[in-house]
């Protein structure tokens, strides 16, 4: 539903992760996580689920973040296949290279905006 980058931009994920790194137990951040889920997360989850389920029923090919992270090039190739784009190996390679900055495996603390 597109709200995840907002959480990153406003430091919500960083604040929770920082508290856990500083030695707080997960229970110590439970209140903050519950607030986030109640105010934003549950509505986002419902909206996202409905949107995804509708698209799957229409025959859209799912592209999972986990797949992008595990095999970026293979997943991008599957995505291009689903859209019927460029079966030519040279063109395909150039297209995948052109979007390589969005590879979740390439994210670091300083370029975490690359995919969002």
């Amino acid at each position: 539903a597109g709200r995840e980058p907002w959480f990153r931009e406003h430091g919500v994920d960083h604040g929770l992760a920082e508290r856990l790194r500083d030695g707080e137990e997960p229970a110590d951040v439970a209140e903050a996580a519950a607030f986030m889920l109640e105010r934003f997360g549950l509505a986002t989850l419902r909206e996202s689920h409905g949107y995804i389920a509708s698209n799957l029923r229409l025959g859209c090919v799912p592209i999972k973040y986990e797949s992008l992270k595990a095999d970026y090039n293979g997943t991008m190739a599957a995505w291009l296949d689903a859209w019927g784009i460029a079966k030519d190996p040279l063109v395909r390679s150039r297209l995948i290279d052109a979007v390589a900055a969005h590879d979740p495996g390439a994210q670091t603390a300083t370029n975490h905006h690359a995919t969002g």
Side-chain angles (χ1 to χ4, degrees):
R3 291 189 185 92
E4 185 267 340
W6 183 91
F7 289 101
R8 281 196 271 160
E9 289 292 327
H10 292 84
V12 175
D13 64 331
H14 177 72
L16 292 175
E18 188 175 272
R19 289 177 71 175
L20 290 170
R21 273 194 304 273
D22 288 344
E24 293 188 44
E25 294 298 316
D28 296 333
V29 298
E31 185 178 335
F35 174 83
M36 187 174 71
L37 180 62
E38 180 184 326
R39 297 290 192 273
F40 305 103
L42 188 56
T44 297
L45 179 65
R46 285 182 175 150
E47 183 180 343
S48 295
H49 176 74
Y51 177 78
I52 291 169
S54 175
N55 282 293
L56 291 174
R57 283 191 299 275
L58 292 171
C60 292
V61 175
I63 302 294
K64 297 181 179 181
Y65 178 82
E66 293 83 359
S67 299
L68 284 168
K69 195 164 185 177
D71 178 14
Y72 184 76
N73 288 354
T75 303
M76 288 304 297
W79 195 342
L80 294 172
D81 287 343
W83 283 72
I85 298 173
K87 300 264 185 201
D88 179 289
L90 180 59
V91 173
R92 172 80 43 111
S93 175
R94 288 181 177 170
L95 285 171
I96 292 173
D97 288 348
V99 295
H102 300 287
D103 180 346
Q107 285 189 346
T108 67
T110 57
N111 80 344
H112 68 278
H113 299 285
T115 64

